[in-house]
Amino acid sequence: MADLIVKLAADGIQKKILNAGKQPLPAFIEGTKVIFHYKTTLPSEDATVIDDSRKRTKPMELIIGKKFKLPVWETILVTMCEGEIAEFLCDTKHTVLYPMVSKSLRNIAAGKDPLEGLRHCCGMAQMHDHHLLGHPDLDDLHNSPRPLIFTIEVLQIQVPGSYRQEAWAMTDEEKLAAVPEIHEEGNRQFKEGDIKGAAEKYHDAIACLKNLQLKEKPGHENWIKLDLMITPLLLNFCQCKLIQGEYYVVLDHCSSILYKYEDNVKAYFKRGKAHAAVWNMKEASDDFAKVLQLDPSLGPAVKKELRDMEKRVREKEIEDKKRFKGLFQ
């Protein structure tokens, strides 16, 4: 271990062990997954915290040998044991890409596409292209790169073959092959009533396909083929969001589908339900009318939705009358 610390120091990385963890040090063969928490701070007197994975829904995962966009993390992780906690002060040459990586990780934590706001090009080109990353602290780091301290706690080390890779760590072929399995898992969880879990699976499958689609020219054959695979997954995701009461998410996604596919009955139906839920009654009626026009066999389902809308409107009118009556008594 002492030799590793000396080697790190020679490369501009100072390691301070806070808890030794479980010895011995693993082999870290290619494909090993490391699950860890990290805290990123500035080496200042007040130790300003930039990111802390413990404040997010899940820890960070990195697969050795997959060329993560912040190479220094792999460099420091392979010097750690399971359960170890250590602090690494890294020179600026190792941290210049951190703002871009942090933006992607924050996108993931917020349930967004990790590539949102980042063009598909090399890291340095992105850094020069994007003067604003959408976060003041990251903008500051981007404009004035400096050393950073990474406090890492290794939670688990998994050997290749003992886990299923996350989408970001897969090759293009692996992403495409994984989508049907992830889709099926989402369907199973939905049937079992695990709506949150199902939504996450549909989102993961969409992320795989979106990542592949970014490499294709919009409108070309492969792009369209991938988009046709994304659409049913997105509709399933919208169904989960309807149940969870996230109606504006449904409105956004269904509108994006209908912008490309004007005859998608399911998108009109789900958007109509979302409009009704947020009291956009005219828009809801228009969407349900479009459903009937495209597929008259859905008449009974549409009539039920319209009856429910009318009932809610009547109940609201009665409630409003009572409220206003009380104001003038």
Side-chain angles (χ1 to χ4, degrees):
M1 182 62 72
D3 291 342
L4 288 174
I5 292 176
V6 170
K7 186 177 179 181
L8 287 175
D11 194 27
I13 304 169
Q14 298 177 39
K15 177 177 181 179
K16 179 181 178 182
I17 298 175
L18 306 179
N19 181 40
K22 302 175 185 177
Q23 301 292 332
L25 187 71
F28 287 109
I29 61 174
E30 184 172 336
T32 299
K33 177 192 277 191
V34 185
I35 302 172
F36 62 99
H37 275 301
Y38 68 94
K39 182 167 69 173
T40 307
T41 55
L42 295 174
S44 55
E45 289 185 6
D46 61 352
T48 302
V49 177
I50 299 171
D51 289 302
D52 187 346
S53 65
R54 291 188 178 280
K55 296 181 179 179
R56 297 171 183 171
T57 56
K58 57 189 297 189
M60 179 65 186
E61 299 180 359
L62 186 149
I63 297 178
I64 303 302
K66 287 292 184 177
K67 296 182 180 179
F68 186 65
K69 285 191 174 181
L70 194 67
V72 71
W73 274 7
E74 182 169 326
T75 300
I76 62 182
L77 284 170
V78 297
T79 72
M80 299 184 71
C81 302
E82 192 168 281
E84 181 178 343
I85 305 173
E87 186 179 279
F88 299 86
L89 172 59
C90 302
D91 285 353
T92 304
K93 68 178 182 178
H94 294 297
T95 64
V96 68
L97 291 179
Y98 184 78
M100 182 183 68
V101 172
S102 177
K103 177 181 174 66
S104 292
L105 294 176
R106 291 181 188 187
N107 281 349
I108 293 170
K112 300 177 182 178
D113 187 332
L115 298 177
E116 183 176 310
L118 299 173
R119 290 195 303 114
H120 181 67
C121 59
C122 73
M124 288 307 297
Q126 288 172 338
M127 292 300 288
H128 289 300
D129 256 5
H130 294 265
H131 299 291
L132 290 176
L133 293 172
H135 302 277
D137 54 347
L138 300 183
D139 291 337
D140 181 49
L141 264 184
H142 163 58
N143 294 324
S144 303
R146 69 205 77 168
L148 293 174
I149 295 173
F150 300 116
T151 303
I152 306 289
E153 179 182 1
V154 175
L155 304 175
Q156 193 175 6
I157 297 172
Q158 299 177 341
V159 298
S162 66
Y163 63 89
R164 190 176 77 185
Q165 295 185 40
E166 296 289 335
W168 59 265
M170 296 178 185
T171 64
D172 289 354
E173 293 75 16
E174 289 169 338
K175 287 186 180 78
L176 198 57
V179 167
E181 182 182 346
I182 300 172
H183 191 170
E184 185 56 35
E185 285 184 26
N187 290 345
R188 177 182 57 78
Q189 288 178 304
F190 186 89
K191 290 175 184 177
E192 293 174 353
D194 182 5
I195 305 304
K196 182 176 181 293
E200 290 174 354
K201 291 300 180 186
Y202 296 139
H203 181 274
D204 288 346
I206 291 167
C208 284
L209 295 171
K210 285 279 190 182
N211 187 275
L212 295 174
Q213 197 180 42
L214 282 169
K215 301 175 183 180
E216 303 292 342
K217 187 174 181 179
H220 278 213
E221 183 179 352
N222 286 343
W223 188 95
I224 293 172
K225 181 179 179 181
L226 290 165
D227 207 58
L228 291 172
M229 294 173 67
I230 290 169
T231 299
L233 285 162
L234 193 52
L235 287 168
N236 286 357
F237 180 76
C238 286
Q239 183 61 35
C240 293
K241 293 304 172 182
L242 273 175
I243 295 170
Q244 292 177 311
E246 297 183 36
Y247 304 117
Y248 289 102
V249 173
V250 178
L251 291 175
D252 286 345
H253 286 311
C254 287
S255 294
S256 72
I257 291 172
L258 290 168
Y259 180 78
K260 294 176 288 187
Y261 308 107
E262 296 179 354
D263 60 349
N264 193 299
V265 177
K266 290 183 178 180
Y268 278 115
F269 190 80
K270 295 181 195 303
R271 193 174 72 173
K273 287 173 69 72
H275 273 310
V278 296
W279 296 96
N280 297 336
M281 297 309 181
K282 180 183 183 306
E283 291 84 353
S285 296
D286 289 346
D287 278 348
F288 289 135
K290 192 69 176 179
V291 171
L292 285 177
Q293 178 187 332
L294 292 170
D295 189 350
S297 70
L298 291 174
V302 169
K303 287 180 182 178
K304 179 181 181 304
E305 295 298 330
L306 293 174
R307 283 197 303 269
D308 289 345
M309 279 174 53
E310 292 169 0
K311 180 181 178 183
R312 288 180 65 220
V313 171
R314 287 196 302 271
E315 289 173 348
K316 189 173 186 301
E317 288 174 347
I318 293 171
E319 183 181 332
D320 288 345
K321 284 180 181 178
K322 288 180 180 179
R323 185 182 301 114
F324 290 128
K325 184 179 179 181
L327 288 175
F328 296 104
Q329 284 181 343

